[in-house]
Amino acid sequence: MAIKHFYQLALVAGLFFLTKWLPSQSLDEQRTVFLRAEKLLEQGNDAAFLELGETLADYPLYPYLQYEWLKKHLQKTDKVTEFLTRYAQTRHAPLLRAKWLDYLAKHGRWQEFVDYYQGTENPSRECYYYWALHETGKKEQALHEAKRLWLTGASQPPACDDLLAEFIKSPEFNQDWVWQRFSLAVNQENWPLVEYLRRMLDKPGQKNADFWLQVYKKPYLVKDSGLWMGADAMTGRIFAEGIARLAQIDVDLALLLWDGRKHYLAIDKQTLDKTDNKLAMILFNHQDSRAYRRLQQVSGPDGKVREAKVRAALLEGDWQHVGDALASLPWEQQHEPTWQYWRARVLEMMGNAEEAKKIYLQLADDRSFYGFLAADKLGNGYTISDKPVLIADGKMEALLKQTNFKAIQEWRSLNRDLEARRQWWFAIERLDKQQLRVAAKLAQQWQWDQVAIMTLVKADYWDDLGLRFPLRYVDEVRRNATQQSLDPAIIFGLMRQESLLDSNAVSPVGAKGLMQLMPATAGQIAGKLDETWHTDSQLFNPEVNIRYGSHYFAELLQRFNGHVALAAAAYNAGPNRVAKWLPVNRNMPADIWVETIPFKETRKYVTSVLAYAIIYQQRLQTDSLKIKNMLAELRGK
């Protein structure tokens, strides 16, 4: 051990000598020292690490090294506070601050906690902050925040216990506070919290809570008229909750019982309006022909109800109702491309072709799904403007000289892509829109397609099509498009929507790669192609992912008789669900079907994929696709 330690110190001494006495270190030399310092830190050799680390004081990743050491030595208050001051503008300052705040809370150092706290999305630290206010004399402010933290159906972290306990002991706390949270917890089916709150109620309250839970778990109990003879507000509230629950499984019965009994029970206006709203939206989500009338009856409709009313009118095929519903939208919203298109459709269907044409002409200049629809209505070509970002001389170089961007470059040089990207998102938060455009072009040069696209979105710039719609993996796309008889622009449209062309993308539910395939689906496709399925990581191979994704989309296209919009919807929401959304015993224009897809995510998905396919068609210099051909009329089942 002694010999090993001697050689280790000798190596450190040698590196220290080189770094201290040479005129200056190159970045390559600094990287070598950095990697050695990381190793010493990992080994726990603090003395050698600190001595060697000091030679890297001007290296872009020096704050990272200091952070990694300090997070293990949080008791060194002076060094922690010095770091937070000196490196306040670095990515690692908020990371160290978070760890130090946890340390301060653990040791009850509340005044320091207040002094160094900064706003956070971490609920535990937020609760600690309010408790720190309480403990440093600002009890009124702390209890005010406790009320907000109380009103949730989720369980708060243990860090909130002391604060909420003080609120519970306060004179303002009463049974109504318990009931409000009880209702939220039941709706989230947070049964441990429900039971905790039930025990906080008095004896009559516990009896009502038990009744509430019985109706929630067996909503058909709302049929039993003998249970609803009471004239008190709690009985009315439980009845309304039961109706909302029943509507999810038997909407016809729920409507019958609600309309027949709500006026005979003590139900406050807020609960009446809330339940009417829920029932109307359930009808709309079921694509029920009664939805428009019920939505019309909703008192004080919000934006969600107003939009649903337009779509419900489209479902029932009453163009006068569509026009009325459009007129009820806020003025600014009426001028969005979506609703301008439907305004033109109303005019067209009601015989005012000239006014409709005026709107279509204006809308056709918009590079969007609805703009392309308008162009098809006019028989015109698509307007697809392309204005690449222009970078003035010296702007890129100036960006690369910024401290945070120097750190990004170093992480890239060390092949630490994840750290480089984390550093990127931190760095661009401090840029104005002009600088963000420069940063987006830099990411494009680095072939960070997803990062470039998302950065340009932050810059609020939409017209650089080369950056927003990159042509990567062209050979693989064209080869698989030919094999599956697909248009390559559609495959690109799917990839752009699914992953922003990030071959390493992973969704929250586990879909992977460029075309965001679930491993189970990929395994089935591999079997159909007589290929061996080894591991989910195969989906990060662009060639494999594009092959399997193209094959899967071709299957969906065949299932839905070549209808591109239906196949796209099925790629997102699943083919069985899409099959249930198809019209029954009637034909339906496909633009109406797309607009009335019950899932907002799928509706947005379909319009995006089809619009992106048109844009990629221009990028690929082809012209075979038309939106109207991807939206053939749907034949009723």
Side-chain angles (χ1 to χ4, degrees):
M1 288 294 293
I3 294 174
K4 180 180 178 181
H5 186 61
F6 171 79
Y7 280 117
Q8 187 179 65
L9 288 176
L11 179 59
V12 171
L15 286 168
F16 178 73
F17 176 82
L18 285 171
T19 55
K20 187 173 182 65
W21 299 111
L22 287 176
S24 63
Q25 292 174 281
S26 69
L27 280 174
D28 285 339
E29 291 169 331
Q30 286 185 315
R31 287 176 200 132
T32 301
V33 177
F34 169 81
L35 293 172
R36 182 60 190 154
E38 268 195 321
K39 192 68 174 176
L40 292 170
L41 184 62
E42 181 183 327
Q43 293 168 349
N45 192 337
D46 285 0
F49 165 78
L50 290 171
E51 185 175 19
L52 184 61
E54 286 304 312
T55 68
L56 293 170
D58 63 342
Y59 182 54
L61 301 186
Y62 178 73
Y64 160 80
L65 284 176
Q66 293 300 298
Y67 161 74
E68 288 293 320
W69 185 79
L70 283 170
K71 73 181 186 181
K72 299 177 182 179
H73 298 84
L74 295 169
Q75 74 281 8
K76 296 185 179 296
T77 299
D78 57 337
K79 292 189 178 299
V80 170
T81 56
E82 180 187 359
F83 182 95
L84 293 177
T85 301
R86 179 177 295 181
Y87 299 110
Q89 302 305 313
T90 69
R91 178 167 70 94
H92 295 95
L95 297 176
L96 182 62
R97 184 185 303 275
K99 292 186 179 297
W100 197 49
L101 288 171
D102 291 344
Y103 174 83
L104 294 175
K106 181 179 178 180
H107 292 84
R109 292 162 60 177
W110 299 118
Q111 186 58 58
E112 289 171 283
F113 195 102
V114 171
D115 292 342
Y116 283 92
Y117 179 79
Q118 291 182 354
T120 175
E121 295 180 0
N122 182 286
S124 292
R125 293 188 196 107
E126 184 182 18
C127 280
Y128 279 139
Y129 174 64
Y130 298 135
W131 182 246
L133 292 177
H134 183 276
E135 292 298 277
T136 53
K138 298 180 180 178
K139 295 185 178 182
E140 186 176 344
Q141 182 181 350
L143 291 177
H144 175 75
E145 297 296 341
K147 297 174 191 176
R148 178 177 57 81
L149 293 168
W150 174 264
L151 289 178
T152 175
S155 298
Q156 295 287 17
C160 301
D161 289 351
D162 289 339
L163 180 67
L164 294 179
E166 284 297 309
F167 173 53
I168 291 168
K169 289 190 295 184
S170 70
E172 188 172 348
F173 187 82
N174 55 36
Q175 295 278 289
D176 188 57
W177 284 100
V178 181
W179 278 117
Q180 289 185 69
R181 194 173 188 194
F182 180 89
S183 173
L184 294 168
V186 170
N187 288 333
Q188 289 194 24
E189 298 190 348
N190 186 347
W191 304 122
L193 180 58
V194 167
E195 180 55 28
Y196 165 76
L197 294 165
R198 178 190 170 280
R199 292 196 300 268
M200 295 182 69
L201 295 165
D202 56 23
K203 290 292 184 183
Q206 289 185 10
K207 184 177 179 180
N208 282 329
D210 291 340
F211 181 37
W212 187 321
L213 293 172
Q214 187 181 16
V215 172
Y216 183 86
K217 293 175 181 177
K218 297 180 180 179
Y220 279 104
L221 287 173
V222 295
K223 291 194 304 180
D224 189 345
S225 57
L227 295 174
W228 310 105
M229 302 302 292
D232 59 291
M234 183 56 68
T235 299
R237 186 174 182 180
I238 294 172
F239 177 77
E241 292 286 347
I243 287 292
R245 179 73 171 159
L246 177 63
Q248 296 174 18
I249 53 178
D250 192 338
V251 67
D252 291 323
L253 180 58
L255 288 168
L256 180 66
L257 294 170
W258 179 246
D259 291 341
R261 295 180 182 171
K262 64 182 179 181
H263 300 297
Y264 300 100
L265 294 168
I267 305 175
D268 63 88
K269 187 176 186 306
Q270 182 180 3
T271 302
L272 280 169
D273 292 346
K274 180 181 175 183
T275 307
D276 282 333
N277 189 321
K278 284 183 178 179
L279 293 172
M281 290 303 294
I282 287 172
L283 283 175
F284 170 68
N285 290 331
H286 288 181
Q287 298 186 319
D288 192 291
S289 60
R290 295 166 292 179
Y292 180 80
R293 181 175 63 84
R294 301 294 300 209
L295 289 163
Q296 277 283 78
Q297 296 170 4
V298 171
S299 177
D302 58 15
K304 189 175 180 180
V305 168
R306 291 179 189 276
E307 288 190 15
K309 197 159 47 174
V310 179
R311 295 186 171 102
L314 287 169
L315 276 173
E316 70 174 5
D318 188 317
W319 291 100
Q320 182 61 56
H321 284 171
V322 177
D324 293 342
L326 285 168
S328 74
L329 295 174
W331 180 254
E332 299 81 8
Q333 193 174 3
Q334 290 183 37
H335 289 79
E336 293 174 2
T338 304
W339 308 119
Q340 280 291 291
Y341 173 78
W342 289 111
R343 177 62 184 156
R345 285 278 273 130
V346 168
L347 292 168
E348 179 185 14
M349 296 304 294
M350 297 186 72
N352 197 340
E354 286 304 311
E355 287 301 311
K357 184 177 180 180
K358 290 179 183 177
I359 297 176
Y360 285 141
L361 279 168
Q362 185 176 14
L363 185 57
D365 288 334
D366 193 69
R367 190 185 61 238
S368 69
F369 174 76
Y370 297 97
F372 298 153
L373 278 174
D376 279 351
K377 285 286 184 180
L378 298 167
N380 295 346
Y382 299 132
T383 299
I384 304 180
S385 58
D386 182 14
K387 299 176 183 177
V389 170
L390 300 177
I391 306 298
D393 291 344
K395 294 294 184 181
M396 187 79 76
E397 292 77 8
L399 189 71
L400 288 169
K401 288 178 181 177
Q402 290 187 15
T403 301
N404 283 315
F405 280 85
K406 287 181 179 179
I408 297 169
Q409 294 174 85
E410 281 308 296
W411 287 124
R412 281 173 51 81
S413 296
L414 292 165
N415 294 318
R416 309 254 185 110
D417 188 69
L418 179 59
E419 287 293 338
R421 290 175 186 247
R422 286 172 175 168
Q423 184 72 31
W424 178 276
W425 297 122
F426 177 83
I428 67 170
E429 288 299 322
R430 286 146 180 78
L431 303 182
D432 60 31
K433 289 188 176 181
Q434 288 296 327
Q435 291 173 314
L436 283 168
R437 295 182 187 184
V438 178
K441 297 301 282 188
L442 176 61
Q444 182 186 36
Q445 288 183 13
W446 289 347
Q447 298 187 9
W448 280 6
D449 292 331
Q450 181 190 51
V451 171
I453 292 166
M454 294 172 69
T455 302
L456 200 61
V457 169
K458 284 181 172 290
D460 196 26
Y461 189 84
W462 311 96
D463 293 335
D464 188 329
L465 298 191
L467 192 153
R468 292 189 61 223
F469 299 94
L471 284 174
R472 199 147 335 266
Y473 315 111
V474 174
D475 291 341
E476 292 89 340
V477 168
R478 282 182 167 147
R479 181 168 59 253
N480 284 282
T482 299
Q483 291 173 355
Q484 301 297 337
S485 300
L486 298 173
D487 192 300
I490 292 176
I491 298 177
F492 269 113
L494 288 165
M495 290 198 303
R496 174 60 170 75
Q497 175 62 24
E498 288 286 351
S499 68
L500 302 180
L501 276 74
D502 179 4
S503 62
N504 294 311
V506 180
S507 79
V509 297
K512 293 178 171 63
L514 290 166
M515 299 188 73
Q516 288 291 276
L517 288 166
M518 293 298 291
T521 301
Q524 294 171 1
I525 295 170
K528 293 175 182 177
L529 296 175
D530 292 325
E531 296 183 5
T532 303
W533 179 252
H534 296 291
T535 173
D536 298 356
S537 62
Q538 289 175 249
L539 287 174
F540 297 125
N541 181 327
E543 186 176 353
V544 171
N545 197 286
I546 293 170
R547 182 164 69 252
Y548 288 7
S550 300
H551 185 277
Y552 181 53
F553 187 77
E555 284 186 341
L556 294 173
L557 202 58
Q558 183 176 16
R559 173 168 176 172
F560 291 102
N561 300 315
H563 202 293
V564 178
L566 296 182
Y571 198 95
N572 175 258
N576 294 334
R577 189 175 281 127
V578 170
K580 293 177 182 178
W581 295 340
L582 295 177
V584 178
N585 298 327
R586 65 184 179 120
N587 297 342
M588 179 184 288
D591 60 348
I592 293 179
W593 184 85
V594 170
E595 195 62 55
T596 56
I597 291 173
F599 290 2
K600 180 179 179 180
E601 176 194 336
T602 303
R603 188 164 63 242
K604 178 66 169 64
Y605 181 94
V606 173
T607 59
S608 295
V609 168
L610 269 56
Y612 292 165
I614 295 299
I615 294 169
Y616 266 109
Q617 174 176 253
Q618 186 201 54
R619 299 275 293 130
L620 293 164
Q621 298 183 342
T622 59
D623 62 358
S624 59
L625 290 178
K626 288 285 185 183
I627 286 283
K628 65 181 181 182
N629 295 335
M630 295 187 279
L631 290 174
E633 185 176 54
L634 301 178
R635 304 293 179 181
K637 293 186 290 186

